[in-house]
Amino acid sequence: MPAMPHALDCPGCAAPELAFAAHDHAHCAHDALERAEAVTAANGARMTPVRRRVLEILLENHKALGAYDVLARLGAEGFGNQPPVAYRALEFLVEQGLAHRIQRLNAFTACTHPGEEHAPAFLICRLCHMVAEAEASAARTSLDAEAARAGFRVERSTIEALGLCPACQGAA
Amino acid sequence: MPAMPHALDCPGCAAPELAFAAHDHAHCAHDALERAEAVTAANGARMTPVRRRVLEILLENHKALGAYDVLARLGAEGFGNQPPVAYRALEFLVEQGLAHRIQRLNAFTACTHPGEEHAPAFLICRLCHMVAEAEASAARTSLDAEAARAGFRVERSTIEALGLCPACQGAA
DNA sequence: TCTATGTATGTAATATCATAACACGTCAAT
DNA sequence: ATTGACGTGTTATGATATTACATACATAGA
């Protein structure tokens, strides 16, 4: 799987913050799955059937899914249908950096560039509910500096924006 | 109520991002209540007994309280004891800019500088659970710019940091 | 003053999100 | 073959939030 040619071809992969833009999503998802296998292997973690399936479900589109939405899908496919089944798989994916939790929505979304160190901001469209990741290092730097002024040491930060994606701005 | 002399005297009020610092909290809370009355009056909104009481409860300290914590207090004091009673009052306070919702905690905290236009970042101590407001305009500017690159229009954003407050850094 | 209107509150019922605790199965290392 | 770590299934429960409807209360206009 040649990484560079692919990234150059695929807007969604080359610039994941453009999840809103049209892109070859099947490709995008397939690629993310491949990377996920690599990431878990590198971490000595196990990508089991439930976990893989949950990731596939999240990768179906760039929206955030609630744990119970995922659970319903799992149950329908013969996996367990009790909440811990979904929550455990989601927690695993988040730990491995393969999915993110969107605090504002109490929901989860597949990571669009797994394997790369990142702590993105999320752009959440209030109409179509798409979620994109955006580079957040500048915002985080400002936040850390401001926190430091108060003597506060930041360990993790959540940056989420609610608004309108390009397509929905036209609609509204 | 002379605003300037007071602000100069009270670290908590002069620099609300220093909620972690020692300050005359009774004064801080009393002042916030007075300002709250002014804000609601200016907005043509009604500061009713339940709403005032909820604000007082939130003002007791700089921690975030869950809706059900607030509700338990209300119920014990003769107000309604069903969830909507708390949620409605909290929603009102948030709308009026007198309280903030902390997404990460599914909880609410009194605003430390009501009446001033602001969209702060929150600094949440994971040990003592204190919550302080920090200036977030720089971080927001970065975020908006990054969002604009993706064609996304930000309407509201949530910026929350989890970490250790000055006091708890010593303890840990 | 009366009454119509909008707003606030109380209450019941229910929906939605999340975790604790325990049983069972698999697999790799001894 | 036994042990121990890990993953999954299941029951039960806890925590957070909303819908819908009934009642009370304030205030403006007749």
Side-chain angles (χ1 to χ4, degrees):
Chain A
M1 50 173 186
M4 275 305 100
H6 156 248
L8 293 176
D9 287 351
C10 175
C13 303
E17 71 276 15
L18 301 181
F20 297 132
H23 65 284
D24 179 348
H25 185 66
H27 185 190
C28 169
H30 178 77
D31 182 61
L33 261 176
E34 267 184 0
R35 294 214 235 174
E37 304 282 354
V39 166
T40 51
N43 291 351
R46 294 197 239 162
M47 180 56 89
T48 64
V50 207
R51 291 167 174 178
R52 182 178 298 106
R53 189 68 193 114
V54 169
L55 182 54
E56 287 170 358
I57 289 169
L58 292 181
L59 280 168
E60 285 174 5
N61 56 49
H62 289 291
K63 304 191 178 177
L65 279 183
Y68 279 73
D69 297 326
V70 170
L71 181 58
R73 298 283 304 272
L74 290 177
E77 297 174 12
F79 293 99
N81 65 349
Q82 297 303 312
V85 173
Y87 280 101
R88 286 192 290 229
L90 289 165
E91 180 188 28
F92 171 85
L93 295 173
V94 169
E95 273 169 4
Q96 298 291 314
L98 303 174
H100 299 289
R101 177 176 195 129
I102 309 297
Q103 300 285 350
R104 180 138 208 144
L105 304 176
N106 291 328
F108 300 82
T109 190
C111 176
T112 48
H113 36 266
E116 305 163 32
E117 266 310 312
H118 68 302
F122 297 100
L123 310 178
I124 307 162
C125 179
R126 67 172 161 81
L127 288 186
C128 70
H129 304 118
M130 287 250 277
V131 175
E133 297 184 26
E135 175 58 33
S137 52
R140 264 172 229 284
T141 300
S142 300
L143 176 56
D144 291 0
E146 198 58 42
R149 287 193 46 216
F152 187 92
R153 179 158 57 217
V154 175
E155 292 172 346
R156 273 200 300 281
S157 48
T158 300
I159 304 183
E160 297 176 354
L162 191 67
L164 291 180
C165 75
C168 292
Q169 282 170 43
Chain B
M1 48 173 184
M4 275 305 101
H6 154 248
L8 292 175
D9 287 352
C10 175
C13 304
E17 72 276 14
L18 300 182
F20 297 131
H23 63 283
D24 179 348
H25 185 66
H27 184 189
C28 169
H30 178 78
D31 182 61
L33 262 177
E34 267 185 359
R35 294 214 235 174
E37 304 282 353
V39 166
T40 50
N43 291 351
R46 308 204 312 224
M47 180 55 90
T48 64
V50 209
R51 291 166 174 178
R52 182 178 299 105
R53 190 68 194 114
V54 170
L55 181 54
E56 287 170 358
I57 290 169
L58 292 181
L59 282 168
E60 284 173 4
N61 55 48
H62 290 290
K63 304 190 178 176
L65 279 183
Y68 279 74
D69 297 326
V70 170
L71 181 58
R73 298 283 303 272
L74 291 178
E77 295 175 15
F79 294 99
N81 64 349
Q82 297 301 310
V85 173
Y87 280 102
R88 285 193 289 231
L90 289 165
E91 180 187 30
F92 171 85
L93 294 173
V94 170
E95 273 168 4
Q96 297 292 315
L98 303 173
H100 299 288
R101 178 177 195 129
I102 309 298
Q103 301 284 350
R104 180 137 209 146
L105 303 177
N106 290 327
F108 300 82
T109 190
C111 177
T112 49
H113 36 266
E116 305 163 31
E117 266 310 313
H118 68 302
F122 297 99
L123 309 178
I124 307 162
C125 179
R126 67 173 161 81
L127 288 186
C128 71
H129 304 118
M130 288 250 279
V131 175
E133 298 183 24
E135 175 59 31
S137 52
R140 262 172 232 284
T141 299
S142 301
L143 175 57
D144 291 0
E146 199 57 42
R149 287 193 45 216
F152 187 92
R153 180 158 55 219
V154 175
E155 292 172 347
R156 274 199 300 280
S157 47
T158 302
I159 303 182
E160 298 176 353
L162 191 67
L164 291 180
C165 75
C168 291
Q169 282 170 45

